Amino acid sequence: MITLSIDGKKIQAPPGRTLLELAREHAIWIPTLCYHEALKPYSGCRLCVVELATPRGSRLVAACTYPCEPGAVVRTDSEMVRQSRQVAAELLLARAGHVPFIQELAASLGVHNTPYTLPSDDCILCARCVRACREIVGVGAISMAERGPGREVVPPFHISSADCIECTTCVLACPTGAITLQNIIDRDRTLHTWPSQYARRACRLCDYHADSLLQNEG
Amino acid sequence: MNRLTTPQELESWRKAIRKSVDPDQPRLRVCDGTGCRALGSQQLLLALHQSLDEAGLAGKVGVVATGCPGFCEQGPLVTVDLPQSAPRASIAYQRVSAGNARAIINETLRANRLIEELLYVDPVRDQLIVEEADLPFYNLQTRRVMALNGKIDPRRIEDYIAHDGYLALSYALFEMEPESIIEEVSFSQLRGRGGAGFPTGQKWKLCRQQPDDVKYIICNADEGDPGAFMDRSILEANPHSIIEGMLIGARAIGATTGFIYVRSEYPLAVENLGIALDQARQCGLLGQDILGAGFDFDIQLRLGAGAFVCGEETALMASIEGRPGEPRPRPPYPAQSGLWGKPTNINNVKSWASIPLIIANGAEWFAAVGTPESRGTAIFSMVGKINNTGLVEVPMGISLRELIFEVGGGVPGGKTFKAVQIGGPSGGCIPAQHLDTLVDYDSLTRLGAIMGSGGLVVTDEDTCMVDLARYFMNFVQQESCGQCLPCRWGTQVMLNTLTRICGGGGQPGDIETLHRLASAVKAASLCGLGQTAPNPVLSTLRHFRAEYEAHVYEKHCPAGVCRGLISYEIDLEVCTGCMVCARSCPTEAITGEKQQPHVINLELCTRCGLCIQLCKFNGVMVH
């Protein structure tokens, strides 16, 4: 076991734990956004930053990826941590302040409005959908494209991805509802905001056949 | 080129190469680096060959296309090495064009006459300088890593070997153990030349201690700071020094494969490196059983695709693996888990090029120059408002004043020095009152700048510091990979704010917003790019806050740069009515009769500045 200190409390950790996992085991609150239990930590949203004391002064590290180290001195609620979480929340509000989930998340950090302006979008680029598609489904039908301000989630080359298996895991993984599941449009269904359309197929269990349904409605 | 199988064969080849050089044959060394190529060195080389043919001297005079010796301001450079018997050694001609080729052959080589208009005039003493060795630009430097830049043909391994090339490798393979190589590097106190300054010996040791059988080493040649070209020039001018450094490092660390990651925007560096790698392989200096020591090592070239973030080590490794160039959090550090999860050691071009010198001359020789905390020399590319634009190698611990005003020749046009941006978009600016700061890792960090990889941009009174911060912020927000939130959106909001301030739309609170955002982005970003991206904003805020305040509160740009805040007016007493400005104005904003003072219609004027540049009478005033 490793011993380290979080917020002044001595805590024992089994080897291989990240700071976030340990904190959650001990009911120490650290906000997260891009983190998802079913996915590898991504360290992108930076909401889970905590202050780590080092010989060269303290610095912020992402709790979701930083491993528990013997003797580490960690603070989860210092001024430096609060400030940077608040700025992150303000930037999130600037991007997706119309999304209730983001409003609630910001409010939990004491942020209710933002001094910044950014082009508005439902997608906050947390990459949960991309990682779910790759790590859980094992497909990689969508990915991150472009860099900096142009970054977006798209199927390769913006064209319908033949790798998509219609599982809708991305829709479930998305925290903001940026990926919607539209159900029936004519004979096809559009799965999400990207151009992936599939012909409906017969259900093997219940004999339900979309085509016959459409004909009956005809 | 024969395959060398023992160190003795290398030595006898070295002797044979040296012997084959005829000391009585004159030689023309022509800089053919990227800078001089842009100024026409290729045409010049062609013209020199033609003129030699015409004069019947083909084959009797050597013509060497060298890499960049650093005096880019005066390029294209031609140095005439005279026979040993001549009273002079090497005549340094500057700003030579293809049209001068015939004169150099006929006047200087055949008639032994100097061409005065091609000689350098020392602006301080107003004196013609003839000998290369007398040029103050070189004399004020301590050239070690760059010692062979401009002396050898980078495309001939023979030239490198004649100058003790691969001698250090021989020592490292046959007279030293891996541990003693690392000890020697540690003892030299070499710190990483990529900017962060981590002790190289310690880094090697960490990687060597890893139990894995497979280890990699990488040369980071993804130089991308605006205004920086040190690494490019070394890659172009002396590629074998990097290969030799990597060979020694591989032996010390226990690596069998190395990668050189170079940006594809450096075509000449890529070309010269490729030639050098092929030659080293043919000579048995890369590959299996090198020099018969039972040591195997080879180097692969990897080209970057234009992403600045790939200079960050973890992003660089992702790119080598064929994945998008995005950084990942550390730990694990590359020494623990790098390329394909294997222990990996990554160093900058200048660090690798320093290694053969340390092994050949000893750690003490290396550490004899510099300051206690920063040993050896530092290489800077000096650009911006400076007389001697180019590349310099100086001892660590030189003062900024000496570096800029003596080696760099000061600010042109009698203008006043304002600040120097050091370390590129990750660095900070240092204002005039700190000119006596010593150039070493720790002193620069204390002032909010960094050593960085060595890009140095000099600004004068005509530079607006808010505009400079805006320029660098534009660069980093475009180059942010976008993976982490603070860097992706924080830089975007900072850029928008700075653009608005420069455009005259600054609002109370903007300065505080910038400061708050910059601090958060610096603290919370995932990788070095984001953590240093706010430095230009933070350091200009620290040293030039009054300039920001003038923009925001008085809607005034003190340097007269920001277009949204300035207006032009023609000085009616100075204007002669020559009509030059009126004819050239792209928006036809200037009107007036011939020989009558002109006027500018501010509604039409876009403040492009063309009229200011064209007016011979300084008749256009900026408010």
Side-chain angles (χ1 to χ4, degrees), chain B residues 24-29 48-49 51-53 55-63 78-83 86 89-91 93 100-115:
Chain B
D24 289 320
Q25 191 192 62
R27 206 165 57 134
L28 302 169
R29 278 183 282 128
L48 283 170
H49 279 295
S51 306
L52 283 172
D53 274 343
L57 287 172
K60 290 177 189 152
V61 175
V63 179
V78 175
T79 311
V80 187
D81 288 335
L82 296 168
S90 304
I91 300 166
Y93 285 143
N100 300 122
R102 202 166 282 159
I104 291 177
I105 310 297
N106 293 335
E107 296 287 314
T108 306
L109 280 183
R110 300 174 94 187
N112 218 358
R113 277 197 297 267
L114 293 171
I115 307 166

Side-chain angles (χ1 to χ4, degrees), chain B residues 185-212:
Chain B
V185 174
S186 296
F187 193 55
S188 77
Q189 298 178 52
L190 171 67
R191 292 173 69 174
R193 296 300 195 240
F198 191 82
T200 305
Q202 202 179 324
K203 202 176 194 177
W204 287 19
K205 199 171 175 184
L206 285 172
C207 196
R208 173 157 186 88
Q209 283 165 348
Q210 300 298 317
D212 273 87

Side-chain angles (χ1 to χ4, degrees), chain A residues 60 80 83-84 87-88 90-91 115-116, chain B residues 425-427 448 469 473 476 485-487 489-495 497-498 509-542 545 548:
Chain A
L60 296 182
M80 191 178 178
Q83 272 249 330
S84 98
V87 169
E90 286 165 1
L91 288 167
Y116 315 131
Chain B
S426 318
M473 194 46 67
V476 286
L485 184 153
C487 178
W489 291 333
T491 56
Q492 198 181 348
V493 174
M494 277 194 275
L495 173 66
T497 311
L498 286 164
D510 274 349
I511 298 175
E512 292 71 22
T513 298
L514 274 177
H515 197 273
R516 179 174 151 85
L517 259 176
S519 309
V521 172
K522 190 180 169 82
S525 290
L526 194 162
C527 82
L529 192 155
Q531 287 160 10
T532 57
N535 281 352
V537 171
L538 286 170
S539 71
T540 46
L541 272 174
R542 178 173 166 182
R545 198 182 176 95
Y548 279 88

Side-chain angles (χ1 to χ4, degrees), chain B residues 88-412:
Chain B
R88 299 185 192 282
S90 304
I91 300 166
Y93 285 143
Q94 327 276 321
R95 297 194 176 169
V96 186
S97 67
N100 300 122
R102 202 166 282 159
I104 291 177
I105 310 297
N106 293 335
E107 296 287 314
T108 306
L109 280 183
R110 300 174 94 187
N112 218 358
R113 277 197 297 267
L114 293 171
I115 307 166
E116 281 200 14
E117 65 264 29
L118 294 181
L119 290 172
Y120 179 68
V121 183
D122 180 359
V124 181
R125 284 170 293 171
D126 197 23
Q127 190 184 347
L128 278 181
I129 310 268
V130 179
E131 291 275 354
E132 186 186 31
D134 294 335
L135 284 172
F137 180 74
Y138 297 124
N139 280 341
L140 293 164
Q141 301 184 37
T142 304
R143 292 169 73 94
R144 291 177 155 192
V145 173
M146 283 172 37
L148 297 180
N149 281 30
K151 305 265 188 233
I152 61 171
D153 182 346
R155 294 159 181 249
R156 275 171 44 92
I157 191 171
E158 291 88 347
D159 279 23
Y160 183 65
I161 286 178
H163 288 85
D164 286 335
Y166 293 104
L167 182 64
L169 173 68
S170 220
Y171 289 157
L173 289 181
F174 295 98
E175 288 168 38
M176 297 172 91
E177 291 302 315
E179 287 80 9
S180 58
I181 299 173
I182 294 179
E183 249 170 58
E184 195 71 22
V185 174
S186 296
F187 193 55
S188 77
Q189 298 178 52
L190 171 67
R191 292 173 69 174
R193 296 300 195 240
F198 191 82
T200 305
Q202 202 179 324
K203 202 176 194 177
W204 287 19
K205 199 171 175 184
L206 285 172
C207 196
R208 173 157 186 88
Q209 283 165 348
Q210 300 298 317
D212 273 87
D213 288 339
V214 178
K215 289 174 191 169
Y216 298 106
I217 59 170
I218 300 173
C219 172
N220 184 350
D222 194 46
E223 179 178 59
D225 295 5
F229 50 95
M230 308 73 56
D231 294 354
R232 187 193 73 205
S233 297
I234 297 169
L235 292 162
E236 287 174 4
N238 195 358
H240 284 288
S241 65
I242 296 153
I243 297 173
E244 188 179 4
M246 289 180 76
L247 274 158
I248 297 167
R251 162 85 169 153
I253 290 161
T256 52
T257 306
F259 293 89
I260 300 177
Y261 188 90
V262 56
R263 61 197 306 228
S264 46
E265 295 92 328
Y266 282 179
L268 184 59
V270 172
E271 194 182 326
N272 286 2
L273 265 175
I275 293 170
L277 287 171
D278 282 344
Q279 289 173 342
R281 271 184 215 117
Q282 280 170 30
C283 298
L285 293 165
L286 282 176
Q288 306 271 305
D289 194 18
I290 292 164
L291 291 180
F295 165 63
D296 306 336
F297 180 69
D298 210 337
I299 297 174
Q300 299 180 24
L301 214 51
R302 285 286 192 280
L303 303 194
F308 179 67
V309 71
C310 285
E312 197 278 342
E313 59 184 16
T314 58
L316 186 152
M317 291 189 299
S319 176
I320 289 182
E321 290 176 12
R323 293 185 291 119
E326 286 173 9
R328 61 157 178 79
R330 295 171 302 181
Y333 289 92
Q336 302 159 321
S337 172
L339 270 184
W340 295 288
K342 299 294 179 189
T344 303
N345 179 79
I346 175 163
N347 282 122
N348 170 266
V349 170
K350 297 177 289 289
S351 305
W352 285 120
S354 302
I355 298 298
L357 300 174
I358 293 171
I359 300 301
N361 301 297
E364 278 179 36
W365 169 86
F366 180 86
V369 162
T371 63
E373 298 298 321
S374 308
R375 301 282 181 178
T377 55
I379 299 178
F380 290 103
S381 59
M382 298 199 290
V383 297
K385 308 291 181 64
I386 191 154
N387 274 315
N388 297 339
T389 299
L391 205 63
V392 299
E393 183 171 3
V394 290
M396 291 273 188
I398 189 175
S399 74
L400 276 174
R401 189 184 300 281
E402 268 181 277
L403 181 59
I404 292 163
F405 287 91
E406 290 179 30
V407 185
V411 179

Side-chain angles (χ1 to χ4, degrees), chain B residues 555-566:
Chain B
K555 302 284 180 258
H556 167 61
C557 174
V561 171
C562 295
R563 287 190 195 177
L565 294 171
I566 53 171

Side-chain angles (χ1 to χ4, degrees), chain A residues 44-86:
Chain A
C45 72
R46 313 304 283 178
L47 281 180
C48 71
V49 286
V50 293
E51 189 174 331
L52 177 77
T54 74
R56 297 166 74 185
S58 57
R59 66 185 180 103
L60 296 182
V61 297
C64 68
T65 50
Y66 206 88
C68 290
E69 289 171 338
V73 179
V74 177
R75 302 211 63 87
T76 66
D77 199 25
S78 66
E79 184 53 35
M80 191 178 178
V81 169
R82 269 202 302 272
Q83 272 249 330
S84 98
R85 283 182 191 160
Q86 280 171 4

